[in-house]
Amino acid sequence: MSPSTDISDSNSDPRDDPTKQTSNKTNGHSTKGQQDENTGSSSRALISRLLDDVSLNHTGAPILACCFISGICDSVAFNATGTFASMQTGNTIFLALGASHLPPNQPTLWLRALVSIVSFWAGCFLFAQFHRWTKHPQRKIVLATSFLIQTLFIILSAALAQSRVLIPSFGKTSLSSHLNEHELSIREAGENDPRTLVPLALLAFQFGGQIVSSRVLGINEVPTNVLTSLYCDLLSDPLLMAGWKGGKGNKKRDRRVVAIILLIAGGVAGGWLQRSEAGMSAALWIAAGIKGAVTVGWLFWGGREPKLEPKNGV
């Protein structure tokens, strides 16, 4: 074979060879197919993880965080409306006092209490129905969705408070511990303004969902929004001193103590925020941020190990 022929063959363009073109196309399709398959596998794995039930280890932590949220939001609701968004026992007494036109100079206190109670009822009912409808109430995606809705309701309340014009009673800043007669009359006018019912109802509704979440996770010792029964359960616990004098600890006792501390801390923090220039809206934004963090946390929470089915009746 002549040298010219060798040179011609060695410099030939691979694109002129149909066999090589077919091979390249095949490799390209194969690589693309593998990428699509890997992407599909990753998506299926992500969806599968979101459909897992959460591991119940340390689920008390996000529920305890909700106690702080209750404290901070109720401190705002009380200063804005004279009622509570979370603690419905006090609202029930306010509603009952309305039958005798008490307290004095509070003609619509009973109405504000009633709106909060009914909104809380609605939250409890609808969130409970949502968890039952899913048939898997402890799934990551279900808990995340529940807390996302709760977060959005607090965000709406915070946005209304931020405006300071739409609902003045929720937009207060630099609150004083002493009010003169003129300031008292302004406060009473703000509390009796029917617009205050909107953020009050939004907050109370999401608190209904919050307590349902504690029940869904089986953490009944921390209702997140009431301390009366919690005080009783704590001090009547036969294992109150367990672990403090040696022996096994008492997780329920520990959660109750932390819940009390966090709810009080939330109220204290909310009060000082309202005395500052940040005001009520800042307190609500912080509450929304904490609940939003809990929402995201559920998505990355550890999954529960599936139970092994017994074989041959063993």
Side-chain angles (χ1 to χ4, degrees):
M1 186 177 291
S2 65
S4 61
T5 304
D6 293 337
I7 294 173
S8 176
D9 290 340
S10 61
N11 292 334
S12 62
D13 191 342
R15 289 175 296 179
D16 296 335
D17 189 342
T19 304
K20 293 182 179 179
Q21 290 182 12
T22 304
S23 176
N24 290 338
K25 289 181 180 179
T26 303
N27 292 335
H29 286 306
S30 176
T31 302
K32 184 178 180 181
Q34 289 177 354
Q35 291 176 346
D36 292 342
E37 184 178 351
N38 291 336
T39 302
S41 299
S42 300
S43 300
R44 287 192 295 271
L46 175 61
I47 294 173
S48 177
R49 286 195 295 270
L50 293 177
L51 294 178
D52 286 342
D53 284 351
V54 297
S55 169
L56 296 180
N57 294 330
H58 310 297
T59 49
I63 296 302
L64 288 170
C66 290
C67 295
F68 184 87
I69 295 171
S70 295
I72 200 170
C73 287
D74 257 350
S75 72
V76 172
F78 184 79
N79 282 328
T81 70
T83 58
F84 301 103
S86 175
M87 300 184 191
Q88 299 303 328
T89 303
N91 286 338
T92 303
I93 296 300
F94 294 151
L95 177 61
L97 285 172
S100 55
H101 304 287
L102 292 173
N105 300 324
Q106 292 285 347
T108 62
L109 179 63
W110 68 271
L111 177 61
R112 300 194 297 274
L114 179 61
V115 168
S116 181
I117 292 170
V118 172
S119 300
F120 184 82
W121 285 352
C124 291
F125 178 78
L126 293 176
F127 276 94
Q129 294 301 314
F130 166 71
H131 281 281
R132 291 195 188 98
W133 173 74
T134 64
K135 297 182 180 179
H136 296 277
Q138 295 182 346
R139 274 183 173 173
K140 296 180 185 180
I141 190 64
V142 173
L143 287 168
T145 301
S146 174
F147 273 78
L148 175 61
I149 296 170
Q150 296 171 42
T151 303
L152 291 176
F153 273 66
I154 301 180
I155 289 174
L156 286 174
S157 300
L160 290 172
Q162 187 74 43
S163 69
R164 300 182 182 178
V165 176
L166 294 175
I167 306 177
S169 64
F170 270 88
K172 298 174 184 175
T173 62
S174 304
L175 294 184
S176 173
S177 55
H178 299 285
L179 300 177
N180 57 39
E181 291 185 4
H182 177 66
E183 290 170 334
L184 282 172
S185 64
I186 294 176
R187 175 176 176 173
E188 290 176 1
E191 290 178 349
N192 293 320
D193 188 336
R195 290 177 294 180
T196 62
L197 300 177
V198 177
L200 178 63
L202 292 172
L203 291 172
F205 180 84
Q206 67 86 32
F207 276 125
Q210 179 176 287
I211 192 171
V212 167
S213 299
S214 70
R215 297 295 193 262
V216 164
L217 292 169
I219 308 177
N220 298 330
E221 65 273 13
V222 182
T224 75
N225 58 357
V226 63
L227 292 182
T228 306
S229 61
L230 196 151
Y231 286 146
C232 175
D233 293 340
L234 174 64
L235 296 173
S236 62
D237 189 345
L239 300 177
L240 177 62
M241 305 304 293
W244 294 346
K245 293 184 178 181
K248 295 182 179 179
N250 185 342
K251 288 186 178 180
K252 290 187 176 182
R253 184 265 329 269
D254 297 343
R255 286 172 179 166
R256 290 178 181 127
V257 171
V258 174
I260 294 170
I261 293 172
L262 287 177
L263 201 148
I264 294 173
V268 171
W272 282 108
L273 282 168
Q274 292 167 73
R275 296 202 66 172
S276 72
E277 294 182 359
M280 294 180 172
S281 60
L284 293 176
W285 283 119
I286 290 173
I290 295 172
K291 185 153 283 190
V294 173
T295 301
V296 175
W298 289 128
L299 297 175
F300 297 95
W301 203 266
R304 193 181 311 172
E305 292 294 331
K307 294 182 178 179
L308 296 177
E309 295 293 333
K311 295 182 179 180
N312 299 325
V314 178

